[in-house]
Amino acid sequence: MKKVTKAIIPAAGLGTRMLPISHAVPKEALPIVDLPAISYLVREAVESGITDILIVTGRDKDAIEDFFDYSPEYDAALLGKGRTKEVDRLHELADMANLYFIRQKTAKGLGHAVGRARSFVGDEPFAVLYGDDLVFSKTPVCRQMIDAYEKYGRAVVGVKPVTPEQLSKYCSLKVEPIAGSENAYFCDDMIEKPKKGQEYSNLSILGRVLLEPSIFDVIEQLEPGAGGEIQLTDAMAEVARTRGVTALEFEGTRYDLGSKLGWMMANVTRAAEHEEIGEEFRAFLKDFCEKLK
Ligand code: UTP
């Protein structure tokens, strides 16, 4: 079995749920306290053993690429004041991984965005971290996915139980428990944005999948699905029906950064434990909550 060392982060979506701000700042570059959201994903991948990451971007998404570059102006200004630690931190963020960028020229859907990565991936298995899904976990969730891939030897989708309302917006998986495991299921079908009565289970894919390169042939044959987009779920459903995939209920809390509520929740969570402002922010939050009563 080939080692998983590559990942894709699709970040070319329009982010219409985050308008008006996404019109000026890519949602994947919005701050979680003092770091752009996407840097958390890059770190998660790196801490999982990934060395090469392709970020799929689009027009008006330059802020993402710029963040991972050196900035001689900031370096000079900070060094002039002896703030070397901050310069080291900026460089450490820029050098976390071998980063590659490709544009998806039209936002035709997540499946289409992943399809842009074919030549980057070659004949290796690869992880996909959806660019607006943040997970805070004890073990990086991408690592949990790789462990499941190495254990069961087939594609893995990261899942969680969701509410009926979320299920109709995400997807629903047909699963059976895998004997001896508490959080892994065998999945042999799935449906994107199921209508009432079409649901298989309350398990939905949330932001992380690990795929084999054979998926690209399937993606290239896809017709537009739900919402008129090329849906990654439709390609993964085909893989599930022919080979089966592992559905892994991962450990960790997931935040939908493509929604205003999810973005705020992630910020409050991170701010409350932040090394610089955590203590004061928690005090503020306690006081704020008291006044809500
Ligand atoms: P979403 O469906 O959440 O993104 O895709 P969206 O289309 O930007 O959302 P709304 O509904 O308009 O608010 C999940 C991830 O896939 C990327 C997005 O950038 C996001 O990180 N994506 C989506 C692409 O890269 N290309 C696409 O065509 C669609």
Side-chain angles (χ1 to χ4, degrees):
M1 179 183 287
K2 286 192 175 150
K3 222 174 143 206
V4 185
T5 62
K6 290 181 179 171
I8 305 172
I9 305 181
L14 295 177
T16 54
R17 286 169 297 147
M18 286 301 273
L19 281 169
I21 186 61
S22 50
H23 172 58
V25 184
K27 62 177 169 176
E28 298 83 2
L30 284 172
I32 303 300
V33 187
D34 54 358
L35 285 167
I38 199 161
S39 71
Y40 287 86
L41 274 64
V42 171
R43 191 172 293 284
E44 176 193 319
V46 170
E47 287 179 351
S48 304
I50 298 288
T51 54
D52 292 81
I53 302 171
L54 177 74
I55 301 181
V56 184
T57 68
R59 274 185 307 287
D60 306 324
K61 299 264 187 176
D62 293 351
I64 296 175
E65 195 166 342
D66 291 346
F67 179 78
F68 294 105
D69 201 356
Y70 287 172
S71 173
E73 293 82 4
Y74 275 94
D75 289 358
L78 292 169
L79 289 173
K81 292 178 184 150
R83 292 161 68 177
T84 45
K85 270 194 185 155
E86 285 158 86
V87 174
D88 291 347
R89 182 158 188 244
L90 289 176
H91 285 211
E92 188 265 327
L93 286 161
D95 293 335
M96 273 194 287
N98 298 319
L99 291 176
Y100 305 81
F101 298 87
I102 192 169
R103 282 196 176 193
Q104 182 192 20
K105 290 167 191 150
T106 317
K108 288 187 189 167
L110 183 57
H112 182 259
V114 171
R116 311 311 306 135
R118 185 169 200 156
S119 62
F120 167 78
V121 164
D123 61 355
E124 294 175 38
F126 61 99
V128 183
L129 294 85
Y130 299 13
D132 59 358
D133 270 300
L134 180 62
V135 183
F136 292 144
S137 57
K138 289 193 201 94
T139 303
V141 65
C142 185
R143 183 67 246 170
Q144 299 177 43
M145 304 288 291
I146 295 172
D147 290 343
Y149 176 70
E150 289 173 352
K151 185 166 179 189
Y152 299 110
R154 52 177 178 255
V156 186
V157 293
V159 301
K160 290 265 186 203
V162 299
T163 63
E165 203 213 335
Q166 288 171 316
L167 206 61
S168 67
K169 289 186 197 151
Y170 301 160
C171 65
S172 169
L173 271 63
K174 186 162 168 254
V175 291
E176 276 173 32
I178 295 178
S181 174
E182 282 177 6
N183 64 340
Y185 304 82
F186 181 76
C187 164
D188 63 4
D189 209 353
M190 60 183 81
I191 178 167
E192 178 72 13
K193 299 190 178 33
K195 299 204 172 70
K196 218 170 168 40
Q198 289 182 319
E199 307 91 347
Y200 289 124
S201 71
N202 66 345
L203 290 179
S204 197
I205 299 173
L206 294 183
R208 299 291 181 274
V209 298
L210 201 157
L211 302 171
E212 292 182 313
S214 53
I215 193 93
F216 291 110
D217 285 338
V218 184
I219 289 174
E220 280 168 19
Q221 298 301 317
L222 282 181
E223 296 291 331
E229 297 191 342
I230 305 288
Q231 297 287 355
L232 185 62
T233 306
D234 292 346
M236 294 189 296
E238 180 63 27
V239 176
R241 287 191 290 266
T242 49
R243 288 203 54 204
V245 303
T246 301
L248 180 76
E249 197 174 328
F250 57 83
E251 169 272 314
T253 309
R254 173 257 185 187
Y255 299 87
D256 176 9
L257 304 182
S259 80
K260 288 159 195 167
L261 185 61
W263 181 74
M264 281 306 302
M265 287 170 160
N267 264 293
V268 171
T269 306
R270 180 69 193 103
E273 64 192 22
H274 193 274
E275 41 295 333
E276 229 174 280
I277 60 162
E279 205 178 324
E280 277 181 73
F281 184 69
R282 285 196 303 277
F284 159 77
L285 212 53
K286 275 186 199 150
D287 186 44
F288 186 81
C289 291
E290 279 300 313
K291 288 178 187 148
L292 282 182
K293 282 177 191 166

